[in-house]
Amino acid sequence: ALGGGPAAESKAKLVSHEDTLFDGTTWPCGPISPCFCSATHWHITTKRIDCTHGCCGSNMDTIDLRRIRDMSFRRNVFQLCCNRGTIVIYSADTTDPEIQITTWNMKPLFKKLKDAWSHARVGTAVGMDVGDDY
């Protein structure tokens, strides 16, 4: 069994070079989501997006930031007044090519996620020189 705690988290952070951008829960059915056990938990780092969703958290998905094709930030007038927003992520994932994350204070997260995505794409482009012999 893996041990938890701050020391283990610090060690894991050093090994994976990941920083947490967002760790929170969204409620797809609004205030009645708890009645259906349909909360969606998001853990977004500088390397990937982990999502636990479905009845009682029965499904888990991961998207590597390098697989994201495009992303956008959207909000209507009501969301603007309430400091809410929706991040839409378009990925190369065949099961979920488009995911939406809607909750409070999404604009700062969008900026952080966009920066992390740019860094992930640069790292992928640099690492593509595989198989060249000198």
Side-chain angles (χ1 to χ4, degrees):
L2 295 174
E9 288 176 17
S10 173
K11 190 179 287 186
K13 186 176 177 181
L14 289 175
V15 171
S16 67
H17 304 302
E18 290 184 49
D19 291 320
T20 298
L21 302 177
F22 178 75
D23 190 38
T25 302
T26 58
W27 306 92
C29 296
I32 61 171
S33 288
C35 297
F36 299 110
C37 299
S38 65
T40 303
H41 183 79
W42 301 93
H43 183 77
I44 302 174
T45 69
T46 54
K47 302 270 185 191
R48 66 177 179 269
I49 300 170
D50 295 323
C51 173
T52 304
H53 59 96
C55 183
C56 299
S58 58
N59 301 315
M60 297 175 74
D61 295 313
T62 297
I63 297 175
D64 190 308
L65 290 189
R66 295 172 295 183
R67 306 263 304 154
I68 293 176
R69 292 185 175 165
D70 198 10
M71 67 174 66
S72 64
F73 177 74
R74 299 179 184 160
R75 59 182 170 183
N76 58 33
V77 175
F78 175 74
Q79 289 176 319
L80 180 65
C81 293
C82 295
N83 196 26
R84 287 180 62 93
T86 300
I87 297 174
V88 183
I89 298 170
Y90 306 95
S91 73
D93 185 47
T94 56
T95 56
D96 292 314
E98 179 182 322
I99 60 171
Q100 296 186 10
I101 308 168
T102 302
T103 193
W104 309 101
N105 204 24
M106 284 283 101
K107 193 169 185 180
L109 174 61
F110 177 71
K111 291 177 181 179
K112 290 179 191 175
L113 188 56
K114 190 171 58 169
D115 289 343
W117 177 44
S118 294
H119 287 16
R121 289 187 322 177
V122 167
T124 301
V126 170
M128 292 183 69
D129 293 330
V130 178
D132 290 339
D133 293 326
Y134 293 104

